[in-house]
């Protein structure tokens, strides 16, 4: 079982930036074989929403974050990042890292990911 750990959340004002990180500290191979990874977010009462995905180097973004968020994976550091710029109050949510070694045709389908983190809170004030 691989446990993912997110970090980097916090509170910022609108227009600010945050960088989220995701690692697998208890897993000997880290994220090496996690070829399909994504960031999701969720607010109370709403479904988990795909924000950005990295499918073995091919990136996909939700329309709401295009041009503001960047997903990247540093294989040397075994870390997945989500750089979030020009944050808006509507970006406020708990952000989750997800990973799976296998492929699927929908990067934003949460059911396709086997491994998840516990979430990190991002709060953007106006």
């Amino acid at each position: 079982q691989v446990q993912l750990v997110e970090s980097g959340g916090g509170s910022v004002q609108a227009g600010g930036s945050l960088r989220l990180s995701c690692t697998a500290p208890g897993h000997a191979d880290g994220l090496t074989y996690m070829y399909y990874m994504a960031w999701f977010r969720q607010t109370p009462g709403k479904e988990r929403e795909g924000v950005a995905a990295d499918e073995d180097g091919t990136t996909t973004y939700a329309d709401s974050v295009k041009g503001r968020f960047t997903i990247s994976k540093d294989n040397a550091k075994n870390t997945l990042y989500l750089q979030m710029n020009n944050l808006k109050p509507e970006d406020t949510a708990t952000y989750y890292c997800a990973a799976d070694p296998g492929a699927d045709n929908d990067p934003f389908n949460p059911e396709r990911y086997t491994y998840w983190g516990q979430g990190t809170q991002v709060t953007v004030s106006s």
Side-chain angles (χ1 to χ4, degrees):
Q1 185 70 16
V2 178
Q3 180 62 51
L4 304 178
V5 178
E6 303 97 337
S7 61
S11 297
V12 295
Q13 290 190 327
S17 298
L18 285 173
R19 188 178 75 163
L20 306 183
S21 299
C22 173
T23 60
H27 186 53
D29 293 325
L31 302 179
T32 301
Y33 301 110
M34 298 300 176
Y35 299 113
Y36 302 89
M37 301 196 69
W39 289 96
F40 287 77
R41 66 186 181 188
Q42 189 170 24
T43 55
K46 293 189 177 181
E47 293 186 353
R48 196 163 291 191
E49 170 194 26
V51 174
D54 183 324
E55 299 174 278
D56 201 15
T58 299
T59 56
T60 304
Y61 296 94
D63 288 342
S64 59
V65 306
K66 279 181 182 177
R68 300 188 298 121
F69 290 12
T70 302
I71 187 172
S72 61
K73 187 180 178 189
D74 188 329
N75 289 318
K77 295 183 178 180
N78 266 307
T79 302
L80 180 76
Y81 298 103
L82 184 67
Q83 178 67 44
M84 305 185 295
N85 298 328
N86 191 22
L87 282 161
K88 303 176 180 181
E90 51 263 43
D91 295 319
T92 296
T94 301
Y95 284 71
Y96 298 89
C97 172
D100 199 278
D104 193 90
N105 59 358
D106 182 359
F108 289 156
N109 175 12
E111 294 182 1
R112 64 146 299 178
Y113 293 97
T114 303
Y115 307 110
W116 290 84
Q118 80 291 348
T120 186
Q121 179 66 34
V122 171
T123 302
V124 185
S125 59
S126 58

